[in-house]
């Protein structure tokens, strides 16, 4: 499974970006998918997730009401729409997917439960 994240860049505070994650070797309809981020000197943290079965998305408290995760099964692409960006959102953003058996809901925010990772895309929010 190969994941390719794109869409990062430099944006001013309050601006928006949309990240995309495409997959080869697996369809997003068959896996749970998550977005994580890692800022310099910090640990990787959960941002958002969407289960393969659909249902409500999961968000970190820090991004609720600002970020939206969605997927387009026809394009086999997952998106992370990021609005009202803040300097503290600056990080490398990674998309990741589960293995074939998925992730139990209580562990959906745990990065170690994800089997495959993309290379990351840099998001920089200037103040």
């Amino acid at each position: 499974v190969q994941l390719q994240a794109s869409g990062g860049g430099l944006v001013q505070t309050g601006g928006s970006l949309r990240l995309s994650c495409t997959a080869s070797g697996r369809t997003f309809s068959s896996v749970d998918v998550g977005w994580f981020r890692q800022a310099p000197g910090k640990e990787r943290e959960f941002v958002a997730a969407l289960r393969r079965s659909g249902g409500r998305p999961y968000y970190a408290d820090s991004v609720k009401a600002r970020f939206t995760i969605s997927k387009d099964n026809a394009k086999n692409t997952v998106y992370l729409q990021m609005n009202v960006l803040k300097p503290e959102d600056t990080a490398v953003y990674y998309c990741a997917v589960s293995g074939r058996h998925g992730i139990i809901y209580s562990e959906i925010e745990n990065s170690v439960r994800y089997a495959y990772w993309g290379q990351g895309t840099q998001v920089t929010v200037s103040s």
Side-chain angles (χ1 to χ4, degrees), residues 32-51:
D32 301 327
V33 59
W35 285 97
F36 291 79
R37 66 187 182 186
Q38 188 166 18
K42 295 187 177 181
E43 293 186 354
R44 189 170 298 184
E45 64 174 359
F46 170 78
V47 175
L50 200 57
R51 298 183 64 83

Side-chain angles (χ1 to χ4, degrees), residues 76-97:
N76 205 31
T77 301
V78 171
Y79 303 101
L80 184 68
Q81 178 67 44
M82 306 186 296
N83 298 326
V84 195
L85 282 162
K86 306 174 181 180
E88 51 263 44
D89 295 319
T90 295
V92 177
Y93 283 71
Y94 300 89
C95 60
V97 299

Side-chain angles (χ1 to χ4, degrees), residues 15-78:
S16 298
L17 282 174
R18 188 178 77 162
L19 305 184
S20 299
C21 178
T22 58
S24 60
R26 194 67 54 85
T27 61
F28 285 118
S29 60
S30 65
V31 293
D32 301 327
V33 59
W35 285 97
F36 291 79
R37 66 187 182 186
Q38 188 166 18
K42 295 187 177 181
E43 293 186 354
R44 189 170 298 184
E45 64 174 359
F46 170 78
V47 175
L50 200 57
R51 298 183 64 83
R52 58 184 173 178
S53 58
R56 70 170 182 88
Y58 298 80
Y59 297 102
D61 288 342
S62 59
V63 307
K64 278 180 182 176
R66 299 189 298 122
F67 290 11
T68 302
I69 185 172
S70 62
K71 64 180 177 178
D72 184 333
N73 288 333
K75 295 182 179 180
N76 205 31
T77 301
V78 171

Side-chain angles (χ1 to χ4, degrees), residues 32-36 46 48-50 95-99 103 107-117:
D32 301 327
V33 59
W35 285 97
F36 291 79
F46 170 78
L50 200 57
C95 60
V97 299
S98 66
I103 302 171
E107 290 288 307
I108 200 71
E109 299 182 11
N110 190 345
S111 63
V112 302
R113 300 304 181 194
Y114 290 78
Y116 304 98
W117 291 79

